[in-house]
Amino acid sequence: MSTGSATSDAEDDETRSRRAVISSEGPPRRPTRFDPDRFSEEDPEDERSAEQERDGVSRTHQKEARQSQRNAANARERARMRVLSKAFSRLKTSLPWVPADTKLSKLDTLRLASSYICHLRQLLQEDRLQDHFVHPVNLTWPFLLSGRPEEDISSTGRLCGATA
DNA sequence: TAGGCCATCTGGTCCT
DNA sequence: AGGACCAGATGGCCTA
């Protein structure tokens, strides 16, 4: 299942910073698809009038503005994806039967989480059949433990782990 | 070396 | 207008 290519948290940080260096340095950037800016560049055959010259300046400014907006959007996207990755690794750590140092791809994590939820659901149904046992977990958002309101979703990982 | 996985960039779309 | 979200493209890294 695990192909070994999924990285641990430590590795994530390492590769991330490595990539960050690469990407922040700009020039070695991989070639992209169509880049309009590249093609709207000044054409060689131009003796410009002063007006065209001013035009060029404002165009350059527009280009720079667009580029900085793009860079900002890229940074936001990186941050967003980092949040997503962290959520995945948190989800992974809340899976029982999965040792902390196990390499799991995101897809594997989703699959295991899904099957674990199924498993928990079955347990609950069995509980309901026996009907003697009040389950400690309130199964409505935000999944509080009954009688222990200070516990939140972050503790359910440990709860799941204890279930294994 | 091929294939899987991931991070990043990018442009489009939707929402506030 | 600007930000969030999304999906496609791409290149790098790693393993079998």
Side-chain angles (χ1 to χ4, degrees), chain A residues 25-58:
Chain A
E25 275 172 355
R29 239 182 66 194
R30 58 175 177 69
T32 55
R33 288 176 296 179
F34 177 64
D35 183 355
D37 287 337
R38 215 178 285 159
F39 295 93
S40 65
E41 288 285 8
E42 49 278 331
D43 35 351
E45 30 113 19
D46 57 356
E47 307 89 39
R48 286 184 185 152
S49 66
E51 196 175 330
Q52 285 172 323
E53 200 68 45
R54 275 198 304 275
D55 242 27
V57 169
S58 72

Side-chain angles (χ1 to χ4, degrees), chain A residues 84-118:
Chain A
L84 190 61
S85 291
K86 277 207 176 133
F88 266 105
S89 47
R90 241 182 302 144
L91 178 60
K92 192 185 87 175
T93 60
S94 58
L95 290 174
W97 315 305
V98 178
D101 58 344
T102 305
K103 301 196 170 196
L104 273 188
S105 72
K106 292 177 176 177
L107 183 57
D108 289 341
T109 303
L110 282 183
R111 285 176 174 151
L112 282 177
S114 173
S115 59
Y116 180 49
I117 290 171
C118 284

Side-chain angles (χ1 to χ4, degrees), chain A residues 97 114-124 163:
Chain A
W97 315 305
S114 173
S115 59
Y116 180 49
I117 290 171
C118 284
H119 168 72
L120 290 180
R121 191 172 289 154
Q122 282 176 354
L123 286 186
L124 278 179
T163 325

